[in-house]
Amino acid sequence: MRDLKNTGFNDRLSAQKNAKQALLARFKPKPAVQDPEFEKLAAKRAAEKEAIRQQHELAKAELRRERAEKDAARLAAEMAAQEEVDAAKRAARKERKQLTKEEQKAARDARYAARKARQR
């Protein structure tokens, strides 16, 4: 009952080898059949990605533009405030100089009057 199939040692070895190769063949990657629409789908996806990228670029450009406008408005406001401060300083300096000129004139007139009084 031991040798029903009439197989010898070499037959069993070759059967074992064939079984092992069949098992390994199951795990090997099989050649993939490419979908005929694959290239079209890839192109479509690439176009969609490009469109999304352009939208993001436009959004970023818009944000940069708005930020630049805000910065420009802030700088203009700061410049206007600085101009007001400078104008106030100039006005105060002119007023001080005017007072100084009037004081100088008054002192000069007083000296002149004193000299005239001494001469009489």
Side-chain angles (χ1 to χ4, degrees):
M1 187 118 177
R2 205 170 123 193
D3 197 15
L4 290 177
K5 295 183 182 180
N6 292 327
T7 57
F9 182 71
N10 288 332
D11 295 331
R12 289 193 307 266
L13 280 180
S14 65
Q16 179 187 7
K17 182 180 169 186
N18 291 338
K20 189 180 254 186
Q21 285 178 353
L23 224 137
L24 287 175
R26 284 180 40 199
F27 292 108
K28 286 186 181 177
K30 293 171 181 55
V33 177
Q34 280 199 345
D35 188 14
E37 299 289 319
F38 180 77
E39 304 249 341
K40 292 178 187 175
L41 290 174
K44 183 179 175 184
R45 283 189 201 113
E48 289 173 353
K49 284 182 183 178
E50 182 65 23
I52 290 171
R53 188 188 63 75
Q54 286 178 352
Q55 288 175 350
H56 287 292
E57 280 295 319
L58 288 174
K60 284 181 186 179
E62 182 67 22
L63 285 174
R64 283 193 296 266
R65 186 188 58 78
E66 288 176 3
R67 194 173 295 135
E69 286 178 357
K70 286 180 184 178
D71 288 346
R74 182 181 51 81
L75 283 174
E78 288 177 1
M79 292 288 282
Q82 187 63 36
E83 286 295 322
E84 288 179 16
V85 169
D86 291 345
K89 285 182 180 179
R90 279 193 298 272
R93 189 174 21 206
K94 279 186 178 182
E95 187 177 321
R96 279 195 314 270
K97 282 186 176 183
Q98 187 66 28
L99 287 176
T100 307
K101 286 181 181 179
E102 290 174 2
E103 290 171 355
Q104 287 174 351
K105 185 177 180 186
R108 188 174 57 238
D109 289 346
R111 283 193 311 266
Y112 181 73
R115 198 174 1 179
K116 285 287 187 180
R118 279 191 305 246
Q119 288 178 357
R120 288 189 194 165

